[in-house]
Amino acid sequence: MPSLDKPEGPGGLPVTTTVKWRFPAVHPEGQKFVAIAFGLTLLLTIVSNIFFWPMLGLTVWVAAFFRDPIRTTPRGDDLVVAPADGLVTMIERVPVPRELTGELGTEPMVRVSIFMSVFDVHINRAPIAGTIKQVVYISGKFLNADLDKASEDNERQHFVVEGHDGRRVGFTQIAGLVARRIVGFAKAGDIVAVGQRVGLIRFGSRVDVYLPEGCAPQVALGQRSVAGETVIGRYGLPAVTGTAQ
């Protein structure tokens, strides 16, 4: 998709353009699962017609799970954007995971946890532009990803990205009850753009983001984030609060 950046018009305002909605593509990682589901649909339909509609519904759901929509990412050296779609379930200052202390230090950091249900987009994106300094995969359990201890016990994969200004942001993909594989698209040493796809988690999970000192949360508990679009942290501003209504 071409960049949406436009030259400035009169008065310094950007030139507006029309953006049309289009049906999200299925990510290549999910195409084989869609093919398997569709194949089972055809096979079971031969056995009995009663299987057609339930299996067709399952095939559509699998395709929807692996959907890969285009996102428009805000830019700014003072911004940290959401790496995942989902519900913001925890915002708290916690110790840095021991696997990341070499890159992030030992001082506690603010962690923003985003829970992804099986209905959310599961493509994960880089929260800032920069160089991936560390990728650490850890095998583990498959507890409910909404539990706090999932960040220490579950299968997970850590990333640390160093921005062009030297600031570092860590984030962790955490498998859940249904999730059984974390897939990474990026490795240590890769240079990534903010909002670039860096991985996915199959079938329900969580992503934790560790905000550096001076970067305040810009989301509230219970808010929904959109990967690559929602600003979840910003330097130089106070943390936001929210009201459930």
Side-chain angles (χ1 to χ4, degrees), residues 137-197:
Y137 171 81
I138 302 165
S139 60
K141 301 176 182 179
F142 297 97
L143 304 175
N144 186 347
D146 211 15
L147 298 175
D148 187 39
K149 62 181 180 178
S151 61
E152 298 179 357
D153 294 342
N154 280 24
E155 177 188 0
R156 57 201 182 276
Q157 182 163 248
H158 300 292
F159 290 85
V160 175
V161 183
E162 182 178 74
H164 305 307
D165 55 5
R167 294 165 170 163
R168 294 183 176 183
V169 174
F171 63 102
T172 304
Q173 298 172 294
I174 303 173
L177 275 174
V178 183
R180 284 299 182 270
R181 189 180 175 200
I182 294 174
V183 181
F185 307 150
K187 61 184 183 301
D190 287 354
I191 297 175
V192 294
V194 58
Q196 180 176 325
R197 299 163 180 83

Side-chain angles (χ1 to χ4, degrees), residues 4 28 40 75 92 95 174-175 200 234:
L4 293 178
L40 287 173
R75 296 176 179 174
E92 56 187 344
I174 303 173
L200 66 82
R234 191 163 191 167

Side-chain angles (χ1 to χ4, degrees), residues 64-150:
F65 178 86
F66 286 104
R67 67 194 184 277
D68 185 13
I70 291 173
R71 297 286 165 79
T72 301
T73 303
R75 296 176 179 174
D77 292 338
D78 60 337
L79 305 179
V80 177
V81 301
D85 287 37
L87 184 70
V88 177
T89 57
M90 285 179 275
I91 302 175
E92 56 187 344
R93 187 174 292 274
V94 299
V96 175
R98 60 183 179 276
E99 298 87 5
L100 301 183
T101 54
E103 297 291 340
L104 298 180
T106 57
E107 292 298 316
M109 301 179 72
V110 174
R111 183 183 70 194
V112 179
S113 297
I114 302 170
F115 177 77
M116 295 180 287
S117 76
V118 293
F119 300 105
D120 287 311
V121 173
H122 274 60
I123 303 293
N124 301 143
R125 296 171 180 258
I128 62 171
T131 303
I132 296 181
K133 303 296 291 184
Q134 185 180 25
V135 179
V136 182
Y137 171 81
I138 302 165
S139 60
K141 301 176 182 179
F142 297 97
L143 304 175
N144 186 347
D146 211 15
L147 298 175
D148 187 39
K149 62 181 180 178

Side-chain angles (χ1 to χ4, degrees), residues 202-227:
R202 291 179 185 161
F203 306 117
S205 43
R206 186 176 115 196
V207 173
D208 289 344
V209 187
Y210 295 89
L211 300 178
E213 192 64 33
C215 184
Q218 299 301 295
V219 289
L221 288 173
Q223 183 177 337
R224 292 194 60 81
S225 67
V226 177

